[in-house]
Amino acid sequence: MSVHGASNALVRAETAKEFAADVQYYLTLNPRQLPSRYLYDALGSALFDAICRLPWYGITRTEARMLEAHGREVFDRLDRVSTIVELGSGDGSKLRLLVQSGAPRTRPLTIHLVDVSSAALTSSARTLSELDDVAIVLHETTYEAGLDDLGAQPRPAGRRLAVFLGSNIGNFDAPGADEFLRAIRRGLALGDGLLLGADLVKPEDVLQLAYDDPLGVTAAFNRNLLVRINRELGGDFDLEAFEHRAIWNAAASRVEMHLAAKRAQRVRIRAAELDVQFETGERIWTESSYKYEPGQIVAMLESAGFQCAAQWIDDVDRFALTLVQAK
Ligand code: AVJ
């Protein structure tokens, strides 16, 4: 195995400034918001890993089981894969499962990992280094920049397979998802593949427990965003004064996470030059997790320039893996 870093220093240097600018912009919108990508600092990522182990949050376990069960079929439908690109690498264990169960004979294999988090890249690379005869290339950058990098590189023989797992697509609203899927499509050539893992609509009580768990881990994950603003941007949020809310918005088919002010208060954030007055019950919308019907996933992919090759559905745990090809 070999690991090459293609890390982008420019992207990293801009992060603090961008965070301040985004907090200033989104926190003064009506309703107040914060982009969900900022949930994942080191502590936030550790809390998300804990969420994945909660008995009430099934996405990770169900998807891993499905990758193991259907991995072989993925590489049967999409033959001659020589390059896999994982967007948002997590800890690498799902991709290892997919390759182990599905691509035992596909060598040589190059795996590109694209993630803004160097911690995620390091742990993924370590997990994937257990595979034999695989070259790993790290891209410490945004999905979009990583896709551009890749689109510009000379293509080895064989197909590319892009992999976007964990229902991360669910953080995008419909126009955002369309734009993102089109960006993936641009990084691929005709006949290349995309494997998408997406969570399906399920009963409200199940969703409620998944996003507001009895151990309070999801609440901590959400409230950590305020801890991060306090630390990195000189904010003075009183942690005790905000509570986690998870709301199923049936009309929009999404679970929303919010932070609700328990009392009226004023918050200052020095680096964002902000002075915000919260009323009692006023909320900050921190995340959306869209839930889909299987046909909707196919339609969304088809309109972004793909053709469905296969879809696997777990009807008990309500999750879909969809394999498409660039058309
Ligand atoms: C990583 C975006 C897929 O929406 O289910 C978990 C994040 N938020 N619990 C999701 C999350 C609250 C997760 N995604």
Side-chain angles (χ1 to χ4, degrees), residues 22-282:
D22 279 341
V23 167
Q24 186 182 56
Y25 175 77
Y26 285 95
L27 210 51
T28 49
L29 289 180
N30 184 15
R32 300 189 193 281
Q33 299 168 42
L34 289 168
S36 59
R37 67 174 175 281
Y38 292 115
L39 291 164
Y40 301 90
D41 63 348
L43 178 53
S45 298
L47 288 167
F48 178 67
D49 285 347
I51 288 173
C52 293
R53 292 161 199 255
L54 294 173
W56 309 278
Y57 188 82
I59 288 181
T60 318
R61 277 181 302 277
T62 304
E63 188 179 48
R65 206 173 55 232
M66 293 177 78
L67 288 168
E68 199 168 12
H70 304 298
R72 191 58 180 268
E73 295 161 76
V74 168
F75 292 93
D76 285 343
R77 306 273 168 131
L78 199 77
D79 62 342
R80 297 185 300 110
V81 171
S82 62
T83 309
I84 299 179
V85 188
E86 187 173 30
L87 302 167
S89 58
D91 71 353
S93 58
K94 286 182 197 169
L95 193 55
R96 184 183 55 186
L97 265 181
L98 177 70
V99 172
Q100 274 174 340
S101 65
R105 311 138 302 163
T106 315
R107 294 291 188 280
L109 190 62
T110 302
I111 298 180
H112 293 265
L113 302 173
V114 181
D115 206 300
V116 283
S117 153
S118 69
L121 288 173
T122 309
S123 93
S124 288
R126 195 181 308 121
T127 307
L128 293 165
S129 68
E130 290 164 27
L131 299 167
D132 294 324
D133 201 19
V134 164
I136 300 173
V137 184
L138 306 181
H139 305 260
E140 185 180 332
T141 185
T142 60
Y143 297 151
E144 288 80 359
L147 288 164
D148 287 348
D149 276 4
L150 221 77
Q153 276 184 23
R155 287 181 59 97
R159 293 187 210 271
R160 275 183 182 149
L161 172 63
V163 175
F164 194 47
L165 299 175
S167 205
N168 286 332
I169 187 77
N171 277 165
F172 293 104
D173 61 10
D178 182 63
E179 195 180 315
F180 182 64
L181 293 172
R182 283 171 194 271
I184 296 178
R185 173 64 190 83
R186 284 195 297 276
L188 301 175
L190 195 72
D192 282 347
L194 166 64
L195 183 66
L196 182 75
D199 205 17
L200 301 177
V201 175
K202 52 193 89 193
E204 183 168 0
D205 56 333
V206 176
L207 290 169
Q208 198 65 51
L209 277 168
Y211 288 89
D212 192 2
D213 64 89
L215 278 176
V217 181
T218 309
F221 173 66
N222 196 9
R223 295 166 76 236
N224 175 54
L225 192 43
L226 303 183
V227 178
R228 181 176 184 181
I229 291 174
N230 284 353
R231 185 184 60 241
E232 292 182 23
L233 302 179
D236 67 354
F237 275 105
D238 174 1
L239 270 291
E240 300 308 316
F242 284 85
E243 62 190 4
H244 169 67
R245 298 265 176 82
I247 297 164
W248 169 241
N249 181 335
S253 196
R254 67 185 182 220
V255 177
E256 299 170 3
M257 290 207 313
H258 297 263
L259 291 161
K262 291 202 245 180
R263 50 176 167 75
Q265 61 197 285
R266 204 171 146 192
V267 173
R268 259 152 294 207
I269 305 170
R270 203 179 348 100
E273 291 166 6
L274 265 186
D275 191 328
V276 183
Q277 178 66 40
F278 286 92
E279 305 309 324
T280 304
E282 195 176 343

